[in-house]
Each structure stands twice: as structure tokens, then as C-alpha cells.
Amino acid sequence: MHWVVTGANRGIGLAIVKKLLEMGEDVTVGIRTSMPFEHPKLKVLTVDMSNPVSIDEFANRIDKKVDVLINNAGILIEEKFPEVTEEGMILSFKVNTMGPYFLIQSLYKLGKFVPGAKIANISSILGSITNTGGTASYPYSISKAALNMVTKLLAHKLKEYFVVSIHPGWVRTDMGGPNAPLTPEESAEGIIRVVRTLNETGVFLDYTGRRIEW
Ligand SMILES: NC(=O)c1ccc[n+]([C@@H]2O[C@H](COP(=O)([O-])OP(=O)(O)OC[C@H]3O[C@@H](n4cnc5c(N)ncnc54)[C@H](OP(=O)(O)O)[C@@H]3O)[C@@H](O)[C@H]2O)c1
């Protein structure tokens, strides 16, 4: 299978790519900088997920049909009420919401998804409206809740594909911090298992496959 993963140069995305390559899968990554290694089954492309023009160019340069898209790139700008800035809100929305949406739209218009393709938007429990309590960041929670709407709308529209939101757990990455209970490898293995065994669309799951309320 051919997997496309964004934000794959570090954190959860990097762990997903390493695991997929160990499994013998073909992988294309979309990153801003460079990968820490090369591999014969890995194609490295650049993309800035905050820029729809860059996203279009990235989609155009993907040269194989896409079986799985993992929209993993994301940012956490730690701003809380009453100190949220316009910049923090806009950048969060661009990277966490618009970026995944436009990548799906570009790939769709180019006819690059195989029938039955799986699209996983890496969301967060912090974007669950039902579970809303505190948050690390208002722009983050708001943009991930909006990403969940992207998932729902496109699951409804693209009946021939599976479109889901996945919460990766609280993971020890630059974003998750050193106190998080999960390693990137544990989260990545879970996400890959959930995607491979997916048999429903328009759902919000965690990395173990458990349903999360929107
Ligand atoms: N860690 C957690 O506990 C946790 C919990 C819930 C959800 N998540 C979600 O899981 C996903 C991965 O998180 P992580 O913990 O692995 O985060 P991370 O370690 O901070 O890595 C984020 C990745 O996203 C990329 N990225 C950010 N802005 C980008 C842009 N404009 N264009 C392209 N790539 C961009 C980064 O690339 P650069 O190196 O170029 O910045 C990096 O590869 C995110 O969507 C995050 O919201 C994480």
C-alpha cells in the first residue's frame, strides 16, 4: 500500500513512517525541512501545510495513487483566554484545519485516491466538544474541533472512502512534552493498526480504536 504522511520529520509522524517502512509499505512524506534518514521505499516531498499553494504543489508531485493519507502535521500555540492573539488563531486554523482540508481536496481533484482509500485526520481529545474541560490552548482546541467537522463533512460527501479523526493519545514529543505517558512508537503502532482495520467512516477514534464523542 502507498501511504502519504504529513509532518513526518519528527514526533508521531516520524514514528509512523519508520514503522510503515519496517512493514514494507511505500511511503511519501510531506515535510518542511528534511528527513533524518533515506530509504528506498520513502519519497520525500516538501510542503508547508499553512499554504494552499504549497499543498497543491505537493499533491501534484505525489506520483502514485494514494491508499492512505495521514494528515498528521499540526501545531500547538499555547494561548489561553483572555490572551489569545489573531496570529495564534489564524496560524492554528491554517495548519490544523485548512491544511488537512485542502490536501484532501487537492488529491481528490487530481483523482489520486484509490477506491476505498483511507483518510485519517490526526485530531485531539482537546478538540472534542463533548469532552470540553480545560485546554492547553484555545486556538488548538478550536482548530481541532473544526478539523473534526472537516472529517464529518467529507465522510458524508466521499462515500467511497473512509474519512476519520484519530486522537493519538498523549505522546512524548516536542508537542506532548516529557510527562506524556505514551512513546511516539506506541502511538504510531496504534494509529497504523486502527487505520488498517478501519471498517467505518465519519468516526472519531483514539489510537486504540476506542470511539471518542465529538
Ligand atoms: N503529542 C501529543 O500528545 C498529541 C496529542 C493529541 C494530538 N496530537 C496531534 O498529533 C499530531 C502530531 O503531533 P506531534 O506530537 O508529533 O507534534 P510535533 O512533535 O510538534 O511535530 C509536529 C509536526 O508537524 C509539522 N508541522 C507543523 N507545522 C507545519 C507546517 N506548516 N507545514 C508542514 N508541517 C508542519 C512539524 O514540522 P516542523 O519540524 O517543520 O515544524 C512536525 O513534523 C499533531 O496533529 C498534533 O496536534 C499530538
Side-chain angles (χ1 to χ4, degrees):
M1 290 211 298
H2 176 220
W3 300 58
V4 173
V5 185
T6 63
N9 55 303
R10 60 190 170 101
I12 298 166
L14 177 60
I16 290 173
V17 170
K18 283 184 175 164
K19 181 76 195 162
L20 289 173
L21 292 172
E22 271 171 36
M23 293 164 63
E25 304 283 45
D26 284 312
V27 184
T28 299
V29 294
I31 57 173
R32 283 195 291 195
T33 52
S34 60
M35 287 297 278
F37 60 85
E38 292 179 1
H39 190 283
K41 299 198 105 187
L42 173 67
K43 179 165 176 148
V44 180
L45 299 174
T46 53
V47 68
D48 177 355
M49 289 298 286
S50 70
N51 179 346
V53 175
S54 170
I55 291 170
D56 255 350
E57 285 167 6
F58 171 55
N60 265 297
R61 282 157 56 218
I62 294 174
D63 56 8
K64 271 185 275 194
K65 290 271 188 179
V66 178
D67 294 285
V68 182
L69 167 64
I70 302 191
N71 259 322
N72 167 75
I75 48 163
L76 169 63
I77 298 171
E78 292 191 30
E79 293 182 345
K80 291 191 191 179
F81 183 87
E83 305 299 342
V84 173
T85 65
E86 182 182 2
E87 292 72 27
M89 199 68 107
I90 288 175
L91 188 57
S92 302
F93 200 71
K94 280 186 168 176
V95 177
N96 295 343
T97 314
M98 288 169 57
Y101 174 84
F102 281 121
L103 182 53
I104 298 167
Q105 182 169 282
S106 292
L107 289 169
Y108 177 79
K109 285 168 93 172
L110 292 164
K112 293 212 174 165
F113 288 118
V114 301
K118 294 169 175 177
I119 299 167
N121 294 322
I122 303 301
S123 180
S124 171
I125 189 79
L126 295 178
S128 165
I129 290 174
T130 304
N131 290 292
T132 304
T135 181
S137 157
Y138 278 63
Y140 184 76
S141 285
I142 291 166
S143 61
K144 290 292 190 180
L147 175 63
N148 287 345
M149 180 57 91
V150 170
T151 296
K152 272 305 233 189
L153 285 170
L154 294 182
H156 186 70
K157 185 76 187 164
L158 304 174
K159 297 263 195 267
E160 68 275 38
Y161 309 138
F162 297 89
V163 189
V164 298
S165 282
I166 298 180
H167 167 56
W170 183 20
V171 188
R172 279 199 297 282
T173 61
D174 293 336
M175 186 184 292
N179 297 326
L182 287 173
T183 64
E185 292 71 27
E186 288 166 330
S187 174
E189 277 180 28
I191 290 167
I192 292 168
R193 193 178 319 112
V194 168
V195 169
R196 283 167 66 96
T197 56
L198 208 55
N199 56 13
E200 53 187 344
T201 189
V203 288
F204 188 10
L205 304 169
D206 75 5
Y207 73 104
T208 69
R210 190 180 60 91
R211 279 286 264 272
I212 297 177
E213 288 182 271
W214 299 101

